[in-house]
Amino acid sequence: MDGIIASASSEVEGSSHPPRRAPSCVFVIFGGGGDLTKRLLVPAIYNLACAGLLDDDFSIIAVDWADLSDDVLRAQFNEALQEFVARRGTAATALREDMWTWLSQRITYLRGSFEEASTYATLAERIGSGNAVFYLAVAARFFGSISDRLGESGLVTEANSTFRRVIVEKPFGHDLASAKELNRRLLGVLRERQIYRIDHYLGKETVQNILALRFSNGFFEPLWNRQNIDHVQITAAETVGVERRGRFYESTGALRDMVPNHLMQLLAMTAMEAPVSFDADAVRDEKSKVLKAAHCVGSDDVVRGQYVAGLLHGEDVPAYRDEPDVARDSQTETYVAMKLAVDNWRWAGVPFYLRTGKRLAERRTEIAIHFRHAPYALFRDTPVERLTPNIMTMHIQPTEGVTLQFGAKVPGPTVRLGGVRMKFDYSEWFSDGPSTGYETLIYDCLIGDATLFQRADNIEAGWQVVQPALDWSARPGADPLCAYAAGSSGPVEADALLARDGRHWLALGA
Ligand code: BG6
């Protein structure tokens, strides 16, 4: 996190040193003709170019099967970029022709199979002896074989102080055993410091801000423990369904798709101890430790749901089982809620409730820290249990910021208490241009900072937490999926999960 995050200077006052330009590098994208490359990677690289963070010797080689030429690929990228700036930009961030010319001259296409040695031989010729990053923007089944081929062809051998790095997309494994196996295979060819396992949640400013908030301010951390916190709610609610990804989603489901990676990152950032420094290994050591302490106590603490047809924002939406490429009797969950315990000195007895799902009432990702009530009913007309709960919410998306909810005196001659909110909104304080969330991740990889990437043990620790839930759901006689209507807040069984502890979820779509 030496990179962009450190330069996101406080506009009030604070430390800031300008980010340095990344070293020269050939950026090879396997899956260079694919959706991820067009929608996110190229716009992110374009933004880095605009910010002056790329070296003049930066170039991109897009590798894919399709029959494309350099010019056709560049035209496709240009179209995607125009869309990107039109969708997210403002007049001031319209596509910069000078930047596009600079970038497009540095993009070439290589048609080839990911499995054949000839593709790698051509790559070796084109890359020469300089620095290179290999981005695996491909289906997960290719991760192992591409890395094997990179190893055999000598492309990841580092010499004369040049670097060779590999960025691996998700899903990283299908369960704990397959994640371990993939780590074993990658580590047979690469050193750990050459592997950058991506979780795009870590590219989100607001996720990075969790650490900034906790560890650069004096007043949160003393309260951040079991003495003061009653429970934590982590929500990643989506309104989208499975879109065109039915085939992928059928064999994945909400639990695998979101929990071991994104939700575990949010949990780890919220619950980890302060690292001794922001050095990549110091941060990742703390994340691993807290994830190793997290676990789901019993099968009653997991609720799996699937959406049936419903009304979302006034429109009829079909049931999951009626989506394209989904089995009519599918048993894949599109929603999961879990209660986790984190067994360490800081968190013993503080439940962490997690929920994520598709086709919910609202798109909202947030972490809500529910503090304990004030201990004593000083205000005679407002009993302790009716005081406004003190909640600190870290909003990840779509709004980005932090709110504090607390009680205040309602103006008037009698003492009456009412709930109020104090809000910090990112967009009001900082005026950054449109971003994809991949800028920081790509830049950090180029400068060799792995803080925002997952180490092998972090990935395995995330899977370790969800593996019992995967096992419980696969055993004969497992609890059936709970139905919820598209556009609702999820299954009632998820409400019951909290109600039995005398708690309730923050409302969705309210
Ligand atoms: C991806 C999942 O990793 O994250 C998708 O595969 C999900 O199913 C997406 O929609 C959510 O990301 P974001 O950034 O929209 O919260």
Side-chain angles (χ1 to χ4, degrees):
M1 275 199 310
D2 189 32
I4 289 177
I5 188 173
S7 74
S9 65
S10 146
E11 297 201 354
V12 179
E13 182 184 304
S15 65
S16 135
H17 53 84
R20 60 193 152 109
R21 196 176 277 256
S24 66
C25 176
V26 181
F27 198 81
V28 180
I29 309 176
F30 288 92
D35 215 37
L36 177 72
T37 307
K38 286 181 207 138
R39 271 190 317 109
L40 296 167
L41 303 185
V42 170
I45 291 169
Y46 163 84
N47 281 340
L48 290 175
C50 292
L53 294 173
L54 298 181
D55 189 89
D56 225 34
D57 273 336
F58 176 86
S59 64
I60 297 177
I61 304 177
V63 186
D64 222 320
W65 282 313
D67 189 6
L68 298 174
S69 64
D70 292 350
D71 285 341
V72 171
L73 183 77
R74 287 175 193 149
Q76 290 182 359
F77 287 171
N78 182 276
E79 196 184 324
L81 266 178
Q82 301 276 6
E83 260 175 46
F84 171 74
V85 291
R87 196 161 19 98
R88 306 200 193 204
T90 62
T93 55
L95 188 63
R96 281 178 51 184
E97 283 306 327
D98 58 333
M99 267 306 134
W100 168 245
T101 308
W102 184 91
L103 187 61
S104 63
Q105 287 164 351
R106 288 166 173 76
I107 298 172
T108 52
Y109 184 63
L110 170 61
R111 185 183 183 197
S113 152
F114 305 147
E115 307 280 0
E116 279 172 26
S118 59
T119 306
Y120 297 82
T122 314
L123 269 180
E125 264 170 43
R126 289 214 201 163
I127 294 171
S129 59
N131 298 324
V133 166
F134 301 93
Y135 196 120
L136 310 192
V138 293
R141 65 179 186 283
F142 293 113
F143 294 164
S145 53
I146 293 178
S147 110
D148 288 350
R149 299 289 97 74
L150 286 171
E152 287 155 15
S153 58
L155 275 164
V156 284
T157 308
E158 296 180 323
N160 305 327
S161 70
T162 55
F163 63 75
R164 296 294 166 102
R165 299 176 183 140
V166 178
I167 302 182
V168 187
E169 263 295 335
K170 74 174 275 264
F172 197 99
H174 194 66
D175 54 14
L176 179 59
S178 58
K180 281 187 172 169
E181 173 53 25
L182 183 55
N183 273 330
R184 196 196 54 74
R185 198 159 165 196
L186 296 180
L187 287 165
V189 176
L190 299 151
R191 300 203 194 137
E192 177 60 48
R193 62 171 173 71
Q194 293 179 281
I195 309 174
Y196 288 70
R197 300 172 192 81
I198 227 163
D199 181 318
H200 78 275
Y201 263 51
L202 291 177
K204 294 182 193 285
E205 287 293 346
T206 36
V207 174
Q208 296 167 28
N209 192 42
I210 302 171
L211 293 193
L213 202 73
R214 289 188 56 199
F215 301 130
S216 73
N217 295 297
F219 50 70
F220 298 123
E221 215 36 36
L223 298 178
W224 217 256
N225 54 45
R226 61 191 301 275
Q227 278 80 34
N228 302 292
I229 293 177
D230 177 70
H231 74 282
V232 177
Q233 293 186 15
I234 302 182
T235 298
E238 298 187 275
T239 50
V240 291
V242 285
E243 301 172 294
R244 288 170 296 149
R245 300 161 74 221
R247 196 160 297 137
F248 160 78
Y249 203 80
E250 270 289 84
S251 60
T252 307
L255 186 54
R256 290 185 166 91
D257 191 36
M258 295 292 288
V259 185
N261 36 59
H262 308 327
L263 265 55
M264 283 306 123
Q265 288 303 324
L266 299 183
L267 183 140
M269 305 277 257
T270 307
M272 67 192 256
E273 295 299 315
V276 287
S277 72
F278 273 119
D279 173 72
D281 276 329
V283 172
R284 299 185 302 176
D285 285 347
E286 293 306 332
K287 282 185 171 179
S288 265
K289 277 195 224 161
V290 76
L291 289 180
K292 281 180 190 149
H295 66 102
C296 199
V297 180
S299 58
D300 289 353
D301 291 333
V302 183
V303 174
R304 294 163 62 249
Q306 190 188 73
Y307 61 85
V308 296
L311 203 60
L312 183 61
H313 298 160
E315 280 186 25
D316 285 323
V317 291
Y320 173 68
R321 290 179 182 181
D322 291 325
E323 300 272 19
D325 297 321
V326 170
R328 297 295 159 253
D329 59 351
S330 170
Q331 291 300 315
T332 299
E333 79 284 348
T334 58
Y335 176 99
V336 63
M338 300 173 87
K339 174 180 169 184
L340 296 183
V342 179
D343 284 341
N344 61 20
W345 273 72
R346 189 190 282 263
W347 296 115
V350 179
F352 282 70
Y353 301 101
L354 276 47
R355 63 178 161 168
T356 182
K358 302 261 184 214
R359 287 288 194 223
L360 292 171
E362 187 187 354
R363 174 172 182 246
R364 203 167 91 204
T365 303
E366 69 188 19
I367 302 160
I369 314 289
H370 292 243
F371 288 89
R372 289 189 191 282
H373 281 302
Y376 168 62
L378 188 60
F379 301 94
R380 271 176 297 130
D381 295 333
T382 313
V384 163
E385 61 284 2
R386 292 228 316 272
L387 290 173
T388 301
N390 291 159
I391 305 173
M392 172 174 165
T393 308
M394 296 181 272
H395 305 274
I396 310 292
Q397 60 193 17
T399 47
E400 302 187 321
V402 180
T403 42
L404 286 178
Q405 175 178 291
F406 51 93
K409 178 181 172 296
V410 178
T414 58
V415 178
R416 273 192 311 124
L417 296 181
V420 295
R421 285 208 188 108
M422 214 158 74
K423 182 158 193 188
F424 151 64
D425 189 329
Y426 249 75
S427 61
E428 282 171 13
W429 275 88
F430 301 106
S431 48
D432 269 352
S435 87
T436 64
Y438 276 74
E439 288 81 356
T440 312
L441 298 173
I442 293 175
Y443 176 78
D444 281 359
C445 176
L446 292 175
I447 63 167
D449 184 345
T451 312
L452 295 176
F453 294 84
Q454 303 235 68
R455 215 170 46 189
D457 58 330
N458 298 149
I459 291 262
E460 291 174 17
W463 277 112
Q464 185 95 47
V465 178
V466 301
Q467 188 62 49
L470 291 173
D471 296 341
W472 293 326
S473 66
R475 71 184 174 195
D479 291 339
L481 288 175
C482 309
Y484 65 100
S488 71
S489 305
V492 289
E493 290 81 351
D495 297 337
L497 179 70
L498 269 70
R500 93 182 177 218
D501 295 344
R503 302 186 175 104
H504 58 85
W505 293 109
L506 293 179
L508 279 181

